[in-house]
Amino acid sequence: MSSYLYRLGRWAFRRRRVVLGFWLALLVGMGVLSQAVKKDTNDAFNVPGTESQRALDLLDEKFPGSGGATARIVFAAPQGHTLDEPQYRKVVDPTVERAQAVPQSVTTGEQFLRGFTPSKDKTIGFADLHFAVPVEDLKDSTKEALERVADPARKAGLEVEFSGGVISTSEEETSAGEQIGVLVAFIVLLVSFGSALIAGLPLVTAIIGVAIGLSGIFALTAVTELNSTAPTLATMLGLAVGIDYALFIVSRHRQQLADGLDPAESVARATATAGSAVVFAGVTVLIALVGLLVVGIPFLSVMGLAAAGTVAIAVLIALTLLPALLGFAGKRAGRGRRPATGATAGLRWAQFVTRRPLVAIGAVIAVLAAVALPALDLRQGLPDDSIKPKDTTERRSYELLTQGFGPGFTGPLTTVIDFGGREDAKAIAQDAAKELRDFPGVAAASDPVFNESGQVAIIIVTPTGSPSSDATKDLVARMRDTAADIRHDSGINAMVTGTTAINIDTSDKLTAALPVFLVLVVGLALLLLAAVFRSIPVPVKAAVGFLLTIAASLGAVVWIFQQGNLADLLGVASTGPIVSFLPILMIAILFGLAMDYEVFLVSRMRESYVHTGRALDATVSGFQASARVVTAAALIMIAVFSGFIISDDVVIKSIGFALAFGVLVDAFLVRMTLVPAVLALLDRRAWWLPRWMDRHMPNLDIEGEKLLHELEPPAPAEPEQ
């Protein structure tokens, strides 16, 4: 591996203008393609294999048009007034009529239209407007027309809000977070290198990589659906790993320049050695992200693949564009702060930890176990309007509906009954609606609505509990148990769906897939790490440390976003269940990033051990050689991820916090404290590998040992092109 990368780095250095031209052309080309073909993102959840999805498929088949978007228009009278007062009533009905004339709305089929419905005290009311197409296919002109219909009612003094995702008033602050993260990353690089020119190189390559990756992702919306979180996640990871991968190669290059190597030779060797670590770190991240496919949930698979594509581009840019840019920099890349030597802070910390390994191990485990305790209270759900920022129309609509109609009204359950040719379908449906009204936990159940054939009926059930409550989850389980008994006794197929049921099914499916995901991803990564380090204890220790990281990160997320501690400080608009895909997404990303630091840190230890044969000395010297750059890399990742915490979107905010906290814990407690302590405790046994495995395992030569034997004495400096 290192030999191939050596030749690649040397070629990119020599042909730097060609390499730079290629990447710039690709950047422009992908940008033009993206703008020409991209479509809007779609946050609809599709969960194949679940009852809620089967019910939705049946609705699409038997109730044409039912799969379109729905906008709920909510009216609220001023304090001390009711909507029945003449001055308000005369604007409510015309507003509903004008809304039904909005382009793309459904104007036929009474089962899909609901007139104005007031609350018992007449202070709050709503009307539903159905569209013939999903939210993502609504035109901007349609959304603007819908917003305008509320103007007369608002001028009359009514509060008018919208829900359903058709109208959104949230202001996205993620870009500001990205800018803050990049600024902090530049400061860290400037302090590390002492040169603005060299500090800017990792930022330039990372930004180019993210721009290409995002252009490709948006171009793919022409042929596949993409949720709005996927580009943000790809940006997070692309910036973080893009900067870090470049940082490792640049740091090795500068160290070699300080040792007297010619720039061309130094770039080639840095690409071969640090570049090998970048390749295997990147592959580990890719394994974790692509592993999300085993979950079987399309929106999560798309998120994983989008992020994986951006990471792959970051690796390619680090191995080609970065050596080319270092070629333009020439010997100037060695200017600025010199690589630290002597009794550095990293050396002193390594000596301290390895002198008392049991104390260090015990302290890390105790701290992480304490932080992880809130994770025992983890509750999961999918986002609804209750977690939107308080200044958005969706959040205000949610609060008004809850106030006027009860907490369960914002998350109704849709019971779909397929009678399969029964002649007494209508009578059975009426009995079913009556029985549902008497169900524990049901606030109301509508009369059944039949399709044209009279063989499929819909009953809307309003729970007494909120959509994310345990009571509603128990209600769905009881309804499905009863439906299973009916199916067994009479052959009538009844299913429960709706947003709330979909959320419950998604959480259950994610929970069931988690063990399989962990075994697959961790197992593949362990095999890869065993081949890289030619050791069994090292990858096992890496996996155990990662489990501690995940437990602590989940504990911190639950403590803040579910239990509400420090929520105001972080600007969390509303606490509640943790978004159900966060744990598995966090595991995928943090595992890849944790193995990044494992590879970069331990590869230097392995390199020293291979050359000296002294395990303890190799642990200390390898730590000293990599501590400063790993620290800088971790701080950069923390800065990039923390920048997303300022987002108003609580999902993005929680993902940003989880990743920033996870990197903090993993880099400084697990990799830079627990790892050297365990290696010191194991001594030479840390590098044990059964002979039969050693014979059959490929020699990946990540340390570049074979390369150093192959290389002739460095050639004289080549003129810059």
Side-chain angles (χ1 to χ4, degrees), residues 65 68 79-80 117 161 229 243 369 385 408 444 501 514 583 588 646 662 670:
Q79 187 77 22
T117 303
E161 307 295 348
T229 307
I243 295 171
D385 288 344
L514 189 56
I646 71 171
V670 175

Side-chain angles (χ1 to χ4, degrees), residues 61-64 111 449-458:
E61 178 185 349
K62 302 298 183 181
F63 284 84
Q111 68 267 38
V449 175
F450 280 86
N451 69 337
E452 291 184 2
S453 70
Q455 287 302 306
V456 177
I458 297 174

Side-chain angles (χ1 to χ4, degrees), residues 541-571:
K541 170 264 308 166
V544 172
F546 166 71
L547 294 177
L548 291 172
T549 295
I550 284 297
S553 300
L554 275 178
V557 169
V558 170
W559 191 70
I560 293 174
F561 291 89
Q562 181 179 306
Q563 298 178 352
N565 300 287
L566 302 181
D568 291 338
L569 179 64
L570 293 179

